[in-house]
Amino acid sequence: MHNRVAFIGGQTGTWRVIAMSAVCGQPLSSVTAIDIVPVTAPPTHAPSVWSLHGIASNVRYAERHEVTELRARQEALGRPHARRAALIPIKKSDAWWDLAQDERRAIFEAQSHHTAIGLDYLPAVARQLYHCRDLGEPFDFLTWFEFAPEHSGVFEELVSRLRRTREWNYVERELDIRLERTSDD
Amino acid sequence: MHNRVAFIGGQTGTWRVIAMSAVCGQPLSSVTAIDIVPVTAPPTHAPSVWSLHGIASNVRYAERHEVTELRARQEALGRPHARRAALIPIKKSDAWWDLAQDERRAIFEAQSHHTAIGLDYLPAVARQLYHCRDLGEPFDFLTWFEFAPEHSGVFEELVSRLRRTREWNYVERELDIRLERTSDD
């Protein structure tokens, strides 16, 4: 699977941990660095403290006009100037997953403006969502953001706006790991 | 994961294979029986010819009124009189997965009436959908149906109606495995 990745937490890696906290729910063990590697079977990465797997999958809520606008404005991961990153693993409650598709879509966008809020921070904040609920992982999503150090402030604003939405009432576990790139590649 | 299962194809199992064919795309090796087992790690089932994994996940298209109607009319798997079954693994094309959510929903229901067609055969045909695209499996879905022998005819009609829909233009691999229960439990 070319689109399946693992976030490997340990002592070495491309991304050095700046800060790591549990926003709600149980924390993960502290690590000093994170590597992001494509998942091949069997896993071949060196021993780590933890690893979280996710997959870049199809969109679940975005409608055509939103997909078009996102693609027009967003930039890819790996921009040289984007030396800061955030890994925010999220688990939503059973109450969320028991909702029908139209109910989840209504909370996600009509009430919480999730896509619209994200658009306000493009292209400064590059994003990638990895799904992992169906993989039997401890989280439902691994959300990954990359931005330049001078955009750290606007990134805080993005995160803060999302956490105040009605959608976030359904978040029962959320970690927040801030990182900076250790290498020049 | 209590809701993750494996369909194990081999020489023994609860369900004896009556017929097995590829509707489109590559076939699987022939087997004489299939067992359905909860997936625990590591897998402990006896040697098999193949195994397909899937997970009973949240709904992806059904709206509240449809979920309510489905729940009111459908019956659970494992009914003693439902001694026939069908396992129909399906893989859809990249063109399908590249569509936005509203485009897939429109094809699925407004144009293809997928849920409405299924409702016509409730409660005779009990169904369970397992997702597997995000698991890196060869199929996107494992669809499972159970019915009494006297409902074999109406089941053929259900399958035939679905295969004539616009949604099925996006199916690029589909197998059809028909089974009968070998035990009384």
Side-chain angles (χ1 to χ4, degrees):
Chain A
M1 293 297 294
H2 63 287
N3 50 354
R4 186 163 173 171
V5 301
F7 290 81
I8 312 278
Q11 304 313 315
T12 59
T14 301
W15 295 91
R16 189 178 69 78
V17 173
I18 301 171
M20 189 170 164
S21 63
V23 179
C24 63
Q26 229 188 337
L28 279 178
S29 301
S30 288
V31 295
T32 55
I34 289 178
D35 248 353
I36 307 172
V37 300
V39 173
T40 49
T44 53
H45 196 275
S48 61
V49 177
W50 45 256
S51 81
L52 300 172
H53 289 222
I55 183 162
S57 188
N58 58 291
V59 301
R60 304 293 163 90
Y61 300 107
E63 300 182 350
R64 173 51 56 192
H65 66 100
E66 294 162 338
V67 170
T68 301
E69 195 168 358
L70 286 166
R71 287 187 185 158
R73 291 170 63 175
Q74 70 198 358
E75 293 181 353
L77 300 184
R79 297 171 298 178
H81 66 275
R83 303 191 59 80
R84 290 290 173 88
L87 171 62
I88 303 186
I90 288 172
K91 181 180 174 60
K92 285 179 172 170
S93 64
D94 288 345
W96 173 263
W97 295 112
D98 287 343
L99 293 174
Q101 177 69 23
D102 57 332
E103 294 171 319
R104 280 183 278 108
R105 161 76 197 182
I107 295 167
F108 181 88
E109 199 58 41
Q111 300 173 23
S112 301
H113 313 290
H114 191 128
T115 303
I117 290 173
L119 278 166
D120 284 346
Y121 301 89
L122 294 181
V125 179
R127 310 178 307 162
Q128 177 65 56
L129 173 62
Y130 298 94
H131 288 265
C132 42
R133 179 168 188 256
D134 286 354
L135 306 184
E137 288 279 304
F139 295 94
D140 296 334
F141 311 101
L142 306 176
T143 67
W144 175 256
F145 307 86
E146 291 179 5
F147 46 89
E150 61 266 32
H151 290 133
S152 298
V154 298
F155 179 70
E156 294 309 324
E157 184 185 298
L158 164 60
V159 168
S160 162
R161 284 177 68 187
L162 285 171
R163 286 182 182 147
R164 287 196 303 267
T165 61
R166 175 147 179 241
E167 183 191 351
W168 247 253
N169 293 341
Y170 295 90
V171 173
E172 65 174 31
R173 188 179 182 195
E174 179 179 5
L175 305 190
D176 192 326
I177 305 175
R178 301 306 175 89
L179 309 110
E180 66 181 1
R181 191 183 284 275
T182 56
S183 65
D184 286 326
D185 54 23
Chain B
M1 295 294 298
H2 63 289
N3 49 353
R4 186 164 174 171
V5 300
F7 290 80
I8 312 279
Q11 305 313 315
T12 59
T14 302
W15 295 91
R16 189 178 69 78
V17 172
I18 300 172
M20 190 170 164
S21 63
V23 179
C24 64
Q26 229 189 335
L28 279 179
S29 302
S30 288
V31 294
T32 54
I34 290 178
D35 247 353
I36 308 170
V37 300
V39 173
T40 49
T44 53
H45 196 274
S48 61
V49 176
W50 46 255
S51 81
L52 300 172
H53 289 221
I55 183 163
S57 188
N58 57 292
V59 299
R60 304 290 163 93
Y61 301 106
E63 300 183 349
R64 173 51 56 193
H65 67 101
E66 294 162 336
V67 169
T68 301
E69 196 167 357
L70 285 166
R71 287 188 183 156
R73 290 170 64 175
Q74 71 198 357
E75 293 182 352
L77 300 183
R79 297 170 299 179
H81 67 276
R83 303 192 59 80
R84 290 289 174 87
L87 171 63
I88 303 186
I90 288 172
K91 181 179 174 60
K92 285 180 174 170
S93 64
D94 288 345
W96 173 262
W97 295 111
D98 287 343
L99 293 174
Q101 177 70 22
D102 57 333
E103 295 170 319
R104 281 183 276 108
R105 162 73 197 183
I107 296 167
F108 181 87
E109 200 57 40
Q111 300 172 23
S112 302
H113 312 290
H114 191 129
T115 303
I117 289 173
L119 277 166
D120 284 346
Y121 301 89
L122 294 180
V125 179
R127 310 179 307 162
Q128 178 65 57
L129 173 64
Y130 298 94
H131 289 265
C132 41
R133 179 168 187 256
D134 287 353
L135 305 184
E137 288 280 304
F139 295 94
D140 296 334
F141 310 100
L142 306 176
T143 65
W144 175 257
F145 306 88
E146 291 180 4
F147 46 91
E150 60 267 32
H151 290 133
S152 298
V154 298
F155 180 69
E156 294 308 324
E157 185 186 299
L158 163 61
V159 169
S160 164
R161 284 177 68 187
L162 285 171
R163 287 184 182 145
R164 288 196 302 267
T165 61
R166 177 151 176 238
E167 183 191 350
W168 247 252
N169 293 341
Y170 294 91
V171 172
E172 66 175 31
R173 188 178 182 197
E174 178 179 5
L175 304 189
D176 191 327
I177 305 174
R178 302 305 174 90
L179 308 110
E180 65 180 0
R181 191 183 284 275
T182 58
S183 64
D184 286 326
D185 53 27

